[in-house]
Amino acid sequence: MTVTAPDATRSPLDDAHDQLRAAATALDIEPGLVDLLGQARREISVGVPLRRDDGSVEVFRGYRVQHNFSRGPAKGGVRFAPSVDLDEVRALAMWMTWKCALVDLPYGGAKGGVAIDPRQYSIEEIERVTRRYTSEILPVIGPDRDIPAPDIGTDERTMAWMMDTFSVSSGYTVQSVVTGKPIALGGSLGRATSTSRGVALMASAALERLGIAPAAATAAVQGFGKVGSYAAGFLADAGVHVVAVSDQYGAVYREGGLDVAALSAYAAEHGTVVGYPDADPIPAEELLLLRVTVLVPAAVEGVIHVDNVDQVQARIIVEGANGPLSSIADSRLADRDVLVVPDILANAGGVIVSYFEWVQAKQTYRWSLDTVESRLEERMLGAWNAVTAEQRSAGGTLRDAAMRIAVSRVLDAHRNRGLYP
Ligand code: GLU
């Protein structure tokens, strides 16, 4: 992969473009079509005014970027975080297009976000921000246009408010406009744990490929939120020794393996893993550098970069987060033969079960948990097999192979539809 500038001056969008360029070169795609795939079809930027509980007014910036519609309606999460900006949302939207294509969902890619730190506001204030943001992007979302879902800083309650706001304006209940909803509002069984289940499945597949038994493996998980906490639990269930986990406040380590169930109960009570009595505290940034078999970065973009990549000692990296490796880090790890399971494969379990939730809403027929989980596993393992087969036949890393499959599927749909007018 050709990388043009040092990490400090680069954004996730640069990394996303590097990945597209690498796939375009391998697939020999003509420059005009690379431009078409590199740019979002539609972007909206909105002011989101909030009346605070004390009566004062604050305004936040919100975005919705729809990267591609060639294979179907756009799909992707909504992020509430102070770091949200247009380029980040563009990168995340592009990754959704490739992710949906790779696991063969009939969707394009989108992402949205509001630049707000939700921890600084009351629940009532977050509800008002959510409803106002939803009403600002109302013209571009809908069950057959663009279907939002949770991401960092949002959850099933956020999705309930989005669904209600959309439904009130439509005059009837529209369950299929968002996914990741509470079960009581048509959420799917198994959605809450789906991303993590997929991450653990991919970690197991990667261990098997390297001939390492789960019981002989150790793991470290960065991020103990919606993805990392359940992923740590599923890895422990598979027999892997989860020796370290971190959250935004710090990290804990136990050489013989953490009791993940006890740690989760502690974190639920205290709001952090810090202070968990049955482990040693370590600096959060050291977690990424531990000598473990499997490292699962499950927090934000760009955490492994030019300045720390050479100290990373893991044999396998399973990208629970979107874009946790910068392009430079990615190519250095490839040179060292570290097996990286790329985000568009590793964390696709979430959007796969989002798709199941959308199908159930459209069918008005609920599937059992067994059905959801077995179909999730089938899709994840099918995608793993397709990516490893592509890697065997045409070379490169797992990310290169996954990108070639995803980009050629999107292009194939585009070519079949033709360019209007
Ligand atoms: N935010 C999740 C992701 O990045 C889920 C998206 C969805 O379910 O639409 O994949």
Side-chain angles (χ1 to χ4, degrees):
M1 202 184 295
T2 344
V3 176
T4 42
D7 280 13
T9 58
R10 293 167 49 85
S11 73
L13 187 58
D14 295 314
D15 295 331
H17 279 140
D18 288 339
Q19 294 163 8
L20 172 60
R21 259 196 308 274
T25 307
L27 296 168
D28 200 16
I29 303 172
E30 61 172 274
L33 285 182
V34 184
D35 276 352
L36 187 139
L37 296 174
Q39 291 183 39
R41 305 265 48 81
R42 189 184 279 151
E43 303 183 339
I44 110 166
S45 166
V46 295
V48 183
L50 163 70
R51 189 176 5 86
R52 303 266 340 236
D53 293 339
D54 66 6
S56 63
V57 172
E58 245 179 84
V59 186
F60 305 95
R61 240 328 86 191
Y63 308 94
R64 186 74 185 167
V65 172
Q66 297 168 337
H67 172 257
N68 193 278
F69 305 101
S70 291
R71 293 171 45 89
K75 182 87 191 80
V78 172
R79 177 173 291 196
F80 286 179
S83 57
V84 164
D85 65 23
L86 186 53
D87 275 356
E88 182 189 45
V89 180
R90 284 172 169 151
L92 293 163
M94 194 188 304
W95 285 325
M96 284 309 302
T97 299
W98 313 139
K99 193 186 302 185
C100 292
L102 180 65
V103 292
D104 201 16
L105 306 181
Y107 291 139
K111 204 76 167 199
V114 179
I116 182 173
D117 182 352
R119 290 166 305 178
Q120 307 302 323
Y121 297 86
S122 69
I123 304 288
E124 293 74 20
E125 289 170 333
I126 293 299
E127 176 174 355
R128 290 198 287 277
V129 165
T130 304
R131 289 186 182 278
R132 183 60 187 255
Y133 167 71
T134 307
S135 76
E136 295 292 343
I137 63 165
L138 212 64
V140 300
I141 62 171
D144 299 306
R145 291 172 195 269
D146 177 0
I147 307 110
D151 196 83
I152 293 170
T154 58
D155 56 17
E156 57 174 41
R157 189 169 47 188
T158 325
M159 294 305 114
W161 293 327
M162 289 190 80
M163 188 208 88
D164 184 66
T165 306
F166 188 90
S167 298
V168 166
S169 99
S170 305
Y172 60 100
T173 297
V174 187
Q175 287 195 336
S176 51
V177 64
V178 292
T179 59
K181 299 180 294 292
I183 304 287
L185 292 180
S188 178
L189 298 172
R191 174 64 182 87
T193 53
S194 56
T195 312
S196 320
R197 198 171 275 284
V199 165
L201 274 171
M202 293 299 96
S204 297
L207 284 169
E208 194 181 318
R209 175 172 166 157
L210 297 189
I212 302 169
T218 54
V221 179
Q222 184 202 31
F224 207 64
K226 289 192 288 281
V227 179
S229 62
Y230 294 120
F234 290 131
L235 285 168
D237 291 350
V240 174
H241 302 278
V242 179
V243 294
V245 303
S246 67
D247 60 23
Q248 57 199 314
Y249 306 106
V252 291
Y253 175 81
R254 188 168 186 273
E255 198 181 345
L258 295 157
D259 178 342
V260 178
L263 178 59
S264 299
Y266 177 90
E269 194 186 330
H270 295 85
T272 175
V273 298
V274 174
Y276 174 63
D278 205 13
D280 300 319
I282 57 167
E285 57 287 359
E286 269 178 32
L287 178 133
L288 297 168
L289 315 179
L290 291 171
R291 181 181 293 279
V292 286
T293 325
V294 183
L295 175 62
V296 181
V300 292
E301 305 93 67
V303 295
I304 300 178
H305 46 72
V306 67
D307 295 323
N308 64 2
V309 64
D310 294 334
Q311 285 121 267
V312 169
Q313 301 184 69
R315 308 249 335 253
I316 296 167
I317 297 179
V318 183
E319 295 186 325
N322 294 309
L325 272 51
S326 75
S327 297
I328 295 178
D330 199 29
S331 53
R332 294 228 187 132
L333 291 164
D335 292 344
R336 281 169 43 200
D337 256 346
V338 175
L339 184 59
V340 174
V341 186
D343 46 10
I344 59 170
L345 173 60
N347 70 34
V351 73
I352 291 173
V353 178
S354 273
Y355 166 60
F356 296 163
E357 181 175 329
W358 181 76
V359 169
Q360 291 171 77
K362 283 186 166 265
Q363 291 178 326
T364 47
Y365 183 78
R366 179 162 294 196
W367 304 358
S368 69
L369 182 59
D370 271 359
T371 304
V372 170
E373 287 180 351
S374 64
R375 290 182 183 175
L376 166 64
E377 184 168 333
E378 188 182 307
R379 280 208 184 235
M380 290 297 300
L381 295 180
W384 167 266
N385 290 336
V387 170
T388 48
E390 166 67 23
Q391 186 189 34
R392 271 194 303 277
S393 73
T397 60
L398 289 179
R399 189 188 318 278
D400 294 330
M403 281 294 288
R404 289 196 298 267
I405 296 173
V407 172
S408 50
R409 282 186 184 161
V410 174
L411 210 52
D412 198 25
H414 169 77
R415 286 193 172 118
N416 275 287
R417 288 174 69 151
L419 186 61
Y420 173 86

